Amino acid sequence: WARWQVAPRSWIGVSIAGARWPTELTAGMIHMNVGMGGYVGATRLIDGRVCSAAALDVAACKRAGGPAKLVRNILRSTGIESGDELHLRGTLGLTRRRATVANWRCLVVGDACGYVEPYTGEGIAWALQSGRRVAELTMAHAKLPRDLAGRWQAWHHLHIAAQMRTCRRFRAIVHSPVLARLAVIAGRALPSLSAFMARRSSGGRGPVFD
């Protein structure tokens, strides 16, 4: 009942170590570098270390000669020379979901329910939101209700799955450097449009990151 449904042509994720990032990489902000075949995100932590990762098209990885070369190409296209000592750790296809997220005495939460891509930060928000709801459903009763699985399935479909569908619609923007550039230009010119898109991608709660 809990088998994965992986999206066709789902991109893979990689964590990145060894890249030379510019000193102006600001702590507390996420910097996105969108190129052909993928995008690379980075943020500087409070202690000065840089945390970076990428989402990559499998076919583009093969054409480039591997994920490390594709990451270098993406960074170079945005003006960043990454250096030669990149160390990557990868995942399977990112965009996936489970049609069924509950069975008797088993409720699936967080990324185990499904995942889109790491461009909005919503994965963490969904995990916290669903974890809190599970606690409410289970701790409100001295004995687990017989319809617990049905309640969880219905709540997840209404609140989390709906937000995932919205985020999947935004994938076309970050999969295209041209669309991403146009979206940034439009967002700078019309801040209200950026706020609207953030609310849409976060289920009406507003942006996850400032």
Side-chain angles (χ1 to χ4, degrees):
W1 62 268
R3 66 172 60 90
W4 281 118
Q5 297 177 0
V6 182
R9 298 181 298 278
S10 177
W11 285 15
I12 61 172
V14 295
S15 63
I16 304 168
R20 294 200 303 265
W21 293 97
T23 55
E24 60 267 21
L25 198 68
T26 307
M29 294 184 65
I30 295 177
H31 300 257
M32 294 292 289
N33 302 272
V34 181
M36 296 302 298
Y39 50 91
V40 183
T43 186
R44 189 175 298 280
L45 305 180
I46 295 176
D47 61 8
R49 291 180 297 121
V50 174
C51 178
S52 59
L56 307 172
D57 179 17
V58 175
C61 286
K62 293 178 180 178
R63 290 193 298 268
K69 290 185 177 179
L70 180 56
V71 168
R72 288 193 190 93
N73 292 345
I74 294 170
L75 292 178
R76 190 176 296 117
S77 71
T78 59
I80 299 175
E81 291 296 332
S82 60
D84 298 326
E85 297 298 323
L86 289 184
H87 304 283
L88 308 182
R89 297 185 66 179
T91 71
L92 298 174
L94 292 170
T95 307
R96 55 181 60 216
R97 72 184 188 93
R98 287 189 167 99
T100 304
V101 294
N103 205 337
W104 171 241
R105 299 181 68 84
C106 181
L107 307 181
V108 187
V109 300
D111 291 348
C113 293
Y115 196 76
V116 184
E117 279 181 19
Y119 58 82
T120 64
E122 282 303 297
I124 296 173
W126 294 334
L128 294 173
Q129 187 181 0
S130 58
R132 177 176 179 176
R133 182 56 180 163
V134 163
E136 293 172 349
L137 284 174
T138 55
M139 296 178 67
H141 307 275
K143 185 177 180 179
L144 292 180
R146 292 188 174 275
D147 63 344
L148 178 63
R151 291 190 194 183
W152 177 243
Q153 184 74 38
W155 184 90
H156 184 275
H157 178 78
L158 180 62
H159 295 276
I160 305 299
Q163 295 175 40
M164 287 184 176
R165 287 192 294 272
T166 300
C167 280
R168 281 195 290 270
R169 297 187 186 104
F170 280 97
R171 280 195 304 164
I173 296 177
V174 293
H175 282 203
S176 167
V178 174
L179 290 178
R181 184 173 290 110
L182 290 175
V184 170
I185 293 172
R188 287 174 175 169
L190 298 170
S192 59
L193 177 62
S194 296
F196 171 76
M197 293 176 67
R199 286 194 299 272
R200 288 286 296 172
S201 67
S202 61
R205 297 190 311 279
V208 178
F209 299 108
D210 292 329

